[in-house]
Amino acid sequence: MMKIAILGSGSIVPDFLEAVSDIPELEPAVILGREKSREKLERLAQKYSIRRISYDYDELLVDPQVDAVYVAMPNNLHYEYAKRALEHGKHVIQEKPFTSTLAEAQELVALAKERHRVIFEAISNQYLPNYQKTKELIGTLGDIRLVQINFSQYSSRYDRFRAGIVLPVFDPKQSGGALMDLNVYNIYFVTGLFGKPKEVHYYANIQKGIDTSGVLVMIYPAFLCVCTGAKDCRSPFSITIQGEQGCITSSEATNQYAGFCLAVNGEEPQEYALNEGRHRMYYEMRTFADMVLAGDFEQAWARNEHTLMVMEILETARRQAGIEFS
């Protein structure tokens, strides 16, 4: 049994708790937050049978009963809280985006290796059965020519942003923006299938120093990829991978990927829905538990290399768009 401390009480935390409720090897043992969030923390603790609420990270870090921390803080705090956890011998589950900068990510990965601990980015699509099946089937499409992905949803916080109330997801001081919040899933989806692109170009709609929407173009040696992510407008979700021998399509967002269709030229299309109705975060947390309990550091570090690739793409794109984080 691995006892986990949850850092934060934002909207992603209930999703995490729902997912780990089906993994008996993971026990949410304590939740950390600020005094002003006491009521929210108490509701979460009661609903998910979390025995303890903490307001002191220093105290939590020296608690021998805490084996790992789940960092669900604003993006700009990921690096600091993860680093301190690793320094105190804890494993780390890091919400996306991994850190604000590539240099921070490189430092955390090096520290995890030095301390022989797992640091794991919670990026759901990489572990879904539908995604694993897509990796198996991608070769049936022949040479890939075009990839197009759209993950756009109108943010419930956007109206307040326009009115001058800047919440973390739209705050450059807190490493927000559509690239870091939504397009990051698209980048992982594509690079998990095809690896690192040879060129990256980001064209963003900038308001108040942050990208509220944008189009990322990744150029591969034989095909082009366009990834759209928006928080200031919406459209149907879409995933299209086009090859000379067929295509894979989906109307799902890249963080859920609950189903897809394979259409090979001259054959009847085949529908796949292999996620078994489980919470989208279940499979990534199942993987984390298995890696830590088996001491499979080689797999953890290989996944860290993918994280570093994505962080490099994010940093290149952000610089092209003139987005500066504090």
Side-chain angles (χ1 to χ4, degrees), residues 82-156:
K83 180 179 180 180
R84 293 179 65 194
L86 290 170
E87 289 173 340
H88 284 81
K90 313 298 185 186
H91 300 288
V92 176
I93 303 168
Q94 189 88 313
E95 253 310 322
K96 62 80 190 169
F98 194 71
T99 53
S100 298
T101 69
L102 175 61
E104 289 177 346
Q106 291 169 330
E107 183 179 344
L108 291 184
V109 168
L111 181 59
K113 290 181 178 180
E114 176 189 319
R115 300 301 172 96
H116 221 63
R117 289 295 180 267
V118 170
I119 185 166
F120 178 87
E121 186 172 15
I123 190 79
S124 55
N125 56 29
Q126 296 300 291
Y127 307 94
L128 297 171
N130 282 328
Y131 189 76
Q132 298 306 314
K133 190 65 175 179
T134 298
K135 293 179 80 169
E136 291 177 22
L137 295 172
I138 202 76
T140 63
L141 304 183
D143 290 339
I144 304 300
R145 293 304 179 205
L146 291 172
V147 177
Q148 303 168 77
I149 298 178
N150 192 327
F151 187 1
S152 298
Q153 53 187 14
Y154 192 88
S155 173
S156 61

Side-chain angles (χ1 to χ4, degrees), residues 232-267:
D232 55 8
C233 54
R234 63 174 296 276
S235 75
F237 303 135
S238 64
I239 300 168
T240 305
I241 304 170
Q242 299 170 225
E244 293 180 347
Q245 301 302 317
C247 65
I248 286 174
T249 59
S250 175
S251 59
E252 299 288 338
T254 47
N255 67 334
Q256 306 226 26
Y257 201 43
F260 69 96
C261 177
L262 170 68
V264 175
N265 297 349
E267 299 180 10

Side-chain angles (χ1 to χ4, degrees), residues 275-317:
N275 294 351
E276 301 176 328
R278 290 190 179 274
H279 193 282
R280 64 183 175 85
M281 295 179 71
Y282 167 81
Y283 293 100
E284 58 187 303
M285 296 309 154
R286 178 73 266 173
T287 301
F288 170 78
D290 291 344
M291 282 195 305
V292 173
L293 294 172
D296 189 355
F297 294 101
E298 293 301 322
Q299 182 187 170
W301 296 333
R303 293 189 180 279
N304 290 157
E305 289 304 309
H306 190 187
T307 287
L308 294 178
M309 180 206 306
V310 171
M311 287 303 305
E312 183 178 351
I313 293 169
L314 289 170
E315 190 154 292
T316 299

Side-chain angles (χ1 to χ4, degrees), residues 2-8 13 16-17 27-33 41 44-45 48-57 59-61 63 65-70 90:
M2 200 185 329
K3 291 181 170 58
I4 298 178
I6 297 97
L7 312 186
V13 170
F16 171 81
L17 292 168
E27 178 190 342
V30 56
I31 184 166
L32 175 84
L41 294 167
L44 288 168
Y48 295 101
S49 302
I50 302 170
R51 294 197 302 266
R52 184 159 65 93
I53 296 171
S54 174
Y55 304 101
D56 186 337
Y57 194 40
E59 178 185 59
L60 186 152
L61 287 172
D63 185 347
Q65 296 300 309
V66 173
D67 304 303
V69 301
Y70 169 59
K90 313 298 185 186

Side-chain angles (χ1 to χ4, degrees), residues 1 10 26 28 32 54 71 83 121 191 202 208 223 227 245 249 267 277 317-318:
M1 176 71 71
L26 299 180
L32 175 84
S54 174
V71 182
K83 180 179 180 180
E121 186 172 15
T191 56
Y202 188 47
K208 303 175 185 176
F223 68 91
C227 294
Q245 301 302 317
T249 59
E267 299 180 10
R318 197 175 66 251

